[in-house]
Amino acid sequence: MILDDLRARLHTASVLTDADVLEGYRQDWAKAPDPGMPVAVVRARSTEDVQEVMRWASAHGVPVVPRGAGSGLSGGATAVDGGIVLSTELMRDIDVDPVTRTATVQPGLLNIEVKRAVAEHGLWYPPDPSSYEICSIGGNIATNAGGLCCVKYGVTTDYVLGLTVVLADGTAVRLGGARLKDTAGLSLTKLFVGSEGTLGVVTEVIVRLIPEQPPRSTVVGIFPDVVACSDAVLAVTRRIRPAMLEFMDNVSIRAVEADLRMGLDTSAGAMLLAQSDLTGPDRAAETEFMAEAFRTHGASEVFATDDPEEGEQFTVARRAAFTSLGKTGTLLLEDVGVPLPALPELVAGIEAISARRDVPIALVAHAGDGNTHPIIVLADDDPDRAHRAQAAFGEVMDLAIGMGGTITGEHGVGRLKAPWLPAQLGEDVMELNRRIKTALDPQGILNPGTMF
Amino acid sequence: MILDDLRARLHTASVLTDADVLEGYRQDWAKAPDPGMPVAVVRARSTEDVQEVMRWASAHGVPVVPRGAGSGLSGGATAVDGGIVLSTELMRDIDVDPVTRTATVQPGLLNIEVKRAVAEHGLWYPPDPSSYEICSIGGNIATNAGGLCCVKYGVTTDYVLGLTVVLADGTAVRLGGARLKDTAGLSLTKLFVGSEGTLGVVTEVIVRLIPEQPPRSTVVGIFPDVVACSDAVLAVTRRIRPAMLEFMDNVSIRAVEADLRMGLDTSAGAMLLAQSDLTGPDRAAETEFMAEAFRTHGASEVFATDDPEEGEQFTVARRAAFTSLGKTGTLLLEDVGVPLPALPELVAGIEAISARRDVPIALVAHAGDGNTHPIIVLADDDPDRAHRAQAAFGEVMDLAIGMGGTITGEHGVGRLKAPWLPAQLGEDVMELNRRIKTALDPQGILNPGTMF
């Protein structure tokens, strides 16, 4: 009956209640356990649709779970019993302004589609999650997504100049705008970036763009073990700022090679993949500096190429790690980060947890900014291993927190990491988070169970 | 009597009550009218000092005005009757970590001192307000300060990774940390940047650093009028991202020349000052592109140099505009910004206001990001002109708001622009600002009168 009220309010959005549709919207990629069963999925087509949904939800006290492309890795889009899943996947407009170097984008457009649209104007939107071909810009805003470029180009929040947000009570507010500098009022635009749908629903975003960068040179180093490899990372970051500095361990190399047959060295203990986008003599100098740093820190083989396509093949291998490992079993994905000097210790500690708990943990990392993705592979037919894996999952986060690190660098807290958030932030900061949550969503109807 | 209680709580901070000391702390550079008379100035030496001040202020309901170097241009550090001015000028430690490329800094250190300390490690802290020799990093955080580098390198918030903040009730919280990526919990670090001391007192900041950039080439263009000049700006930003793109009009050129005798062309209608920090052939290409764009858009003279010191002389002239104009009379300083395509219209509109109100308005601008500083010069002996100047001051902000712009790009709202904030943000966004302010400072003791 309250759904009739919802349908009456909406003009352009579709309200879906088919059982198999609902089933498909209960979880995102993280497959958080025990998802609720929503009463409806609403596919919004406009800010006004979202406003009507939130007015209705406020009036009836119905929980609303905002959802982008459903590619989240922390369970931030997990349905709630009796709630609505509010999908922005049909909101896909983009308007590029090459003079101001900004684009106004609706949240349903995929990251790759934003990149393509702005490339037509010679421009670049840097943030590049490994999932960039399937994740939406709205989800990127919600999690403050990162990617491979961040070591030089920063994360999503560095590129968000303005937002249109629908608040819990249905009010739509426009924050910031197409201005590189704007400090009028509190920095609310930045507050909503990374808020995982707990403070409002983003219906439009104005992103900052930069001119297209030159093609890249690539340096690959093969290392006997992960600790030597992470020492090499520090030798690089101490001096230069490469355009990419990625890490794969033996388990992830072998999984990708088994899946894609690219000719990767499956005997490598670990691999570093670095890129330079400088030009002229500086590029040669930067590339040689990295090659030399790799050799000095024990690389058994170093390979460099100026051919962008050859370099891209290695990047494809790095990005494929999640999906290739996913073919070997269900995954528990981590996203822990530490201050860079702690990277070797973190990597060694993860190896120790893997050995102690007797569960395989593959490791890939955005090594240049200390953001690692330990990936725990479950065997579906081994409940005891699943139990040990869960223990390891928590221990990895405890380890990072103990080193002054974070439980999430770019995926968000979602449901899966919410139990560890107080240990990282401390009770005073948790209380500060809750005060702001309560000020903006007093009924607690926005994405309950995520983050808080 | 309550001051005795304050003194008893504090160990290392000094509590000053001399009449002439109090007088010196009533206003910042903006000389906002009708400052209050504080009961004391407290010079804190530690986070603990600040905590004690806030606990005491909360207990007694005493207003607290946080103050950095006092170089603010919007009156954000204006004393309140019966309140405390809480100065962080004695908190001046810095600790640089070259591996993580971060520095942990106390708020009293000046911007230039941060730059110097990190330069010893081959690193650069980009944000560069024209006042960088006298403004503090704490004040920079409070206003989300910008500068000349922003067109390529962004503003203060882009470099803030972590903060220690003392809240209204004296609780000290640590937000973020030395991690390039961290999305655990709400983006509270970013919320405090630009909050102008209305939400808490920053006692420590962790800034992101980048490697030192190459020396710069400089291109100067002399234009017959300001509108041709701003057309040239758009021709540049449409295609490239220079390391600097600054603007001076005839009034500001003449004021600087009269003050410093640098040999500037005082017959120029306007001047553009651009820099490239690319290297090799790209630098030459970028420099030539800008020179050609200047010529195409009506520059009567274009001058280029690879000599960094010669280029720096022009930057010095640009930075001197405030102080040189200040020698000709009291200034009313604006900080309005618009989306770049509106720049020529804004510039023309400011000229029209100057003519209609019959008050001289000098114009300098960080042209490449659409952030302009109209500077209204008052004659101290002419009250009617002061009245017309005040009217023009408001009309310039109304003009920018009407073009989808902002009343402040980098100086903050402070007291002087607070009356215009609702017109820019709208009532719904103001209400959102107030909700967060109330959630964090329910008694309203933090910097009353600023922003809200």
Side-chain angles (χ1 to χ4, degrees), chain A residues 53-399:
Chain A
V53 170
M54 293 314 304
R55 284 182 195 127
W56 169 85
S58 283
H60 297 284
V62 176
V64 174
V65 175
R67 179 184 169 104
S71 60
L73 297 173
S74 300
T78 305
V80 175
D81 278 332
I84 291 287
V85 174
L86 175 55
S87 167
T88 55
E89 69 200 296
L90 300 181
M91 298 178 67
R92 295 174 40 77
D93 285 347
I94 183 166
D95 182 25
V96 183
D97 173 359
V99 176
T100 317
R101 278 205 301 270
T102 57
T104 303
V105 194
Q106 288 190 323
L109 210 64
L110 302 184
N111 181 293
I112 190 176
E113 294 171 323
V114 175
K115 286 191 196 309
R116 279 190 189 138
V118 308
E120 287 176 21
H121 301 268
L123 295 169
W124 184 38
Y125 175 69
D128 59 346
S130 291
S131 58
Y132 76 111
E133 294 168 299
I134 56 161
C135 64
S136 70
I137 194 81
N140 291 177
I141 306 290
T143 57
N144 190 17
L148 285 63
C149 74
C150 309
V151 61
K152 182 163 187 175
Y153 291 99
V155 295
T156 297
T157 193
D158 300 319
Y159 294 88
V160 178
L161 296 177
L163 293 174
T164 302
V165 181
V166 176
L167 304 177
D169 65 3
T171 308
V173 291
R174 307 194 104 189
L175 307 171
R179 303 174 289 270
L180 190 50
K181 287 166 161 176
D182 184 0
T183 185
L186 298 174
S187 303
L188 300 179
T189 306
K190 299 287 190 186
L191 176 64
F192 280 94
V193 178
S195 63
E196 302 189 39
T198 64
L199 300 183
V201 184
V202 171
T203 61
E204 192 173 274
V205 51
I206 301 173
V207 292
R208 183 162 75 97
L209 308 169
I210 63 177
E212 258 175 1
Q213 299 299 293
R216 298 170 167 204
S217 295
T218 300
V219 185
V220 178
I222 303 297
F223 291 81
D225 64 85
V226 293
V227 176
C229 190
S230 43
D231 285 336
V233 169
L234 303 193
V236 169
T237 60
R238 184 177 289 119
R239 288 280 303 281
I240 60 168
R241 192 166 63 142
M244 180 185 298
L245 187 50
E246 293 288 317
F247 169 102
M248 294 178 76
D249 75 346
N250 175 266
V251 180
S252 56
I253 292 169
R254 280 191 288 124
V256 172
E257 181 59 26
D259 185 26
L260 301 180
R261 306 277 167 206
M262 306 177 79
L264 300 174
D265 179 354
T266 54
S267 72
M271 184 171 88
L272 280 184
L273 167 60
Q275 292 189 328
S276 170
D277 62 0
L278 299 181
T279 56
D282 288 341
R283 174 201 294 255
E286 186 165 277
T287 308
E288 183 44 41
F289 177 84
M290 293 194 285
E292 188 54 36
F294 291 2
R295 281 185 213 107
T296 306
H297 288 84
S300 58
E301 198 182 330
V302 176
F303 169 78
T305 176
D306 276 333
D307 179 348
E309 285 183 27
E310 201 175 8
E312 175 62 16
Q313 284 311 303
F314 286 98
T315 314
V316 166
R318 164 60 189 85
R319 286 205 195 95
F322 285 175
T323 42
S324 294
L325 282 159
K327 293 174 183 171
T328 70
T330 303
L331 305 182
L332 275 178
L333 242 74
E334 308 251 19
D335 179 33
V336 293
V338 288
L340 269 178
L343 186 62
E345 194 187 341
L346 176 71
V347 165
I350 291 167
E351 281 202 320
I353 291 169
S354 171
R356 192 168 63 242
R357 290 293 179 182
D358 189 23
V359 284
I361 305 183
L363 186 64
V364 297
H366 309 299
D369 41 43
N371 181 205
T372 73
H373 294 308
I375 305 170
I376 307 173
V377 185
L378 301 179
D380 293 334
D381 53 356
D382 185 346
D384 183 65
R385 177 159 145 188
H387 187 75
R388 297 195 313 272
Q390 283 295 346
F393 183 71
E395 284 168 2
V396 167
M397 284 188 275
D398 294 338
L399 177 69

Side-chain angles (χ1 to χ4, degrees), chain B residues 317-342:
Chain B
R318 164 61 192 86
R319 286 206 195 94
F322 285 175
T323 43
S324 295
L325 283 158
K327 293 174 184 173
T328 70
T330 303
L331 305 181
L332 276 177
L333 242 75
E334 307 251 21
D335 179 34
V336 293
V338 288
L340 270 177

